[in-house]
Amino acid sequence: METDYGPVCRQHLEFMKWADDIMLAALEQVPHDKLTHDHRNSFNSLLDTLNHVYLAELVWLKRVQENPNARIGDLEIPASIEALGKAWPDLHQRWLDWSRSFSSEDWKKNLTYSNSEGIQSQRPYWQIALHLVNHGTYHRGQVATMLRQSGIKPPGTDLITFYRTQTA
């Protein structure tokens, strides 16, 4: 029996939107000095880290839709948490629309793309979608740690919590 990756990928892209929305809403409540404080982390601040998640989602959408050689360094970084809050909903919707346009067979096809260092690679679309979701989860975990370091309780964005919201 062949695996139909579509439903799993679509569900996890829905999770990505859900988790991003929760973390963005939490950061919109953080005072500016804490939002931009350098935590000496991968992307320094809370805002820098969430912007990185957004930019990764944007560059991968560009790669799968129109430009397999898109580079994250060529993208415009949202200048504020407000700008990020305005840009992200459209990006999430574009991911969901794109995923709904794919057939079971489309998910298995390979995309040949160049990464940010210009190295060409090839992966099936289903792996790209799950990589993207996993990447965001990793960095939202960093944001949660930085929130704790700032004395702020982070919101829960666990996958199992998302699953529970889908069956409630």
Side-chain angles (χ1 to χ4, degrees):
M1 184 166 108
E2 294 257 345
T3 301
D4 183 358
Y5 296 105
V8 171
C9 289
R10 280 187 287 278
Q11 182 180 38
H12 285 83
L13 289 168
E14 289 276 0
F15 161 71
M16 178 180 81
K17 176 194 178 312
W18 174 87
D20 288 345
D21 287 349
I22 288 172
M23 195 58 78
L24 176 65
L27 292 195
E28 288 174 334
Q29 304 307 311
V30 173
H32 187 265
D33 62 318
K34 290 187 177 188
L35 191 63
T36 58
H37 174 76
D38 186 351
H39 287 269
R40 302 181 62 80
N41 206 322
S42 299
F43 295 97
N44 299 332
S45 72
L46 291 161
L47 181 57
D48 291 341
T49 305
L50 214 57
N51 266 338
H52 172 73
V53 174
Y54 166 79
L55 291 172
E57 291 174 10
L58 180 57
V59 78
W60 276 109
L61 184 67
K62 288 183 175 295
R63 287 175 182 162
V64 301
Q65 281 191 327
E66 64 203 40
N67 180 4
N69 299 314
R71 296 170 58 112
I72 201 167
D74 296 335
L75 303 176
E76 184 176 341
I77 301 169
S80 66
I81 195 72
E82 295 81 14
L84 180 58
K86 288 179 183 167
W88 225 341
D90 177 63
L91 178 60
H92 286 135
Q93 190 58 54
R94 289 169 55 204
W95 265 111
L96 296 173
D97 291 346
W98 173 83
S99 74
R100 290 181 190 116
S101 74
F102 257 38
S103 70
S104 297
E105 291 307 309
D106 289 334
W107 288 103
K108 297 173 192 172
K109 294 177 184 173
N110 282 328
L111 172 69
T112 301
Y113 64 93
S114 294
N115 68 15
S116 294
E117 287 79 41
I119 299 168
Q120 197 170 70
S121 190
Q122 192 176 70
R123 302 280 6 122
Y125 285 97
W126 72 267
Q127 287 182 5
I128 291 168
L130 293 181
H131 161 72
L132 182 69
V133 173
N134 183 64
H135 175 265
T137 298
Y138 174 80
H139 288 297
R140 283 188 302 275
Q142 289 180 320
V143 169
T145 297
M146 288 187 272
L147 283 169
R148 283 187 193 96
Q149 291 169 345
S150 299
I152 301 168
K153 182 180 180 192
T157 58
D158 287 343
L159 182 59
I160 196 69
T161 305
F162 170 75
Y163 289 152
R164 288 180 190 132
T165 68
Q166 302 304 292
T167 58

